[in-house]
Amino acid sequence: MLYLHIPYCHHKCTYCGFYSVAGRRDYSEYVDAICSEIRLRGDGRRLRTIYFGGGTPSLLSPLQLRKITGTIAECFDVSGIEEVTLEANPENLTPEYVALLAEMRFFNRLSIGIQSFSDSELHLLNRVHNANQATDAIHNASEAGFNNISVDLIFGLPHQSVGKWLDNLDILASHKDFGSIKHLSCYELTLEPGSILERQLQMGRLSMAGDEVLEAQYSQLLDWCMRNGFEQYEISNFCRPGFHSRHNSRYWNRTPYIGVGAGAHSFNGTRRRWNKPDIAAYVKGASIGEIPFDEELLSDKDAFNEYIMTSLRTVRGIHKPVIDSEFSSFSTGLAKQIQSFIRKGMIVETKDYYIPTAAGLLHADGIASELFVI
Ligand code: SF4
């Protein structure tokens, strides 16, 4: 698994808590730095998935993307690659851009940050694109041959009624290229520390959606997915059968991965490492072969808690054989602690799994924190 972080954006969305730098710039130095890091860390290992995330990776030109993908192919074995995703924003997906992407024959999945099909909601989120561009982006990508498209939408927006949320989903379902959309990520709007949204709330300009609206919107989402052939496989992720995100699913299975780029995280099974989120330091470091990073050795407790947190957000749940083989010292405690959630109907126990029910998924983070080893 390889993750590449492209920490640039046209401008900041109000809710953004990711590491990214806004404004027009020349990305060539950064592209060179990423290629240097790939050469430094590429060890010829066989990659199954690659993910270009950000930020806004679609701000890079096809030529710059070609330079990066060429370097990946030199430094890793990509002969068995299953999935290569590019995160893209709608305003970048012009017919010319997607045609050049398709010509590269490297990316086989596009994840488009639509967020909403309503101009007023997009304005509230301070997105660059408008509703027409959102619709066109899906069409352009599909026309160019991308038939494995993922769409991101956000619910729980201030002033967004349950009906307005459902309108977004219905616009998606009525899109002429709906068949090319194989995956849907729907996130509840959350308040990120330091975001513009947080300041707007503090100034009393907005208020967040209440629990009742959120629960109704989420329940509409589950219902819509069922009616439209999308199955849920994680709290926020839905797909047509067989089209789950291979890359993200492997994070949840504790598969080791390499992350390159400023702010990117890596995991080797025992250690977590993160490049410093500082583009200037990253570019400088890459030029002398010394990428600035920090790392930590995960304690058994940390690894166990992370596993509980991520697995309870998936419909598969906690895999008992993983607990027995990797966290055996916590297995008896977990079996005891989890009983109260089984009694409340939030978890179902089978021979091999502790599976969250629909109610359990809704409260996955709260349940996980009760099961943590401190
Ligand atoms: S496009 Fe994504 S990364 Fe960039 S500012 Fe908006 S939310 Fe943040």
Side-chain angles (χ1 to χ4, degrees), residues 9 11-13 15-16 18 20 54-56 89 127:
C9 288
H11 64 235
K12 268 306 206 197
C13 304
Y15 56 95
C16 185
F18 301 111
S20 76
T56 312
N89 277 355
R127 296 289 298 181

Side-chain angles (χ1 to χ4, degrees), residues 1 49 82-83 242-251:
M1 278 171 82
T49 62
E82 294 167 20
E83 185 185 272
F243 284 91
H244 60 281
S245 160
R246 266 91 179 137
H247 188 87
N248 289 338
S249 300
R250 291 197 172 116
Y251 285 137

Side-chain angles (χ1 to χ4, degrees), residues 1-2 37-47 71-72 74-77 256-258 268:
M1 278 171 82
L2 177 66
E37 187 181 7
I38 295 168
R39 284 193 202 94
L40 277 173
R41 299 180 66 195
D43 50 10
R45 80 174 69 170
R46 192 163 196 207
L47 297 177
T71 311
I72 295 171
E74 276 168 27
C75 303
F76 292 95
D77 175 1
Y257 58 90
I258 295 179
N268 69 1

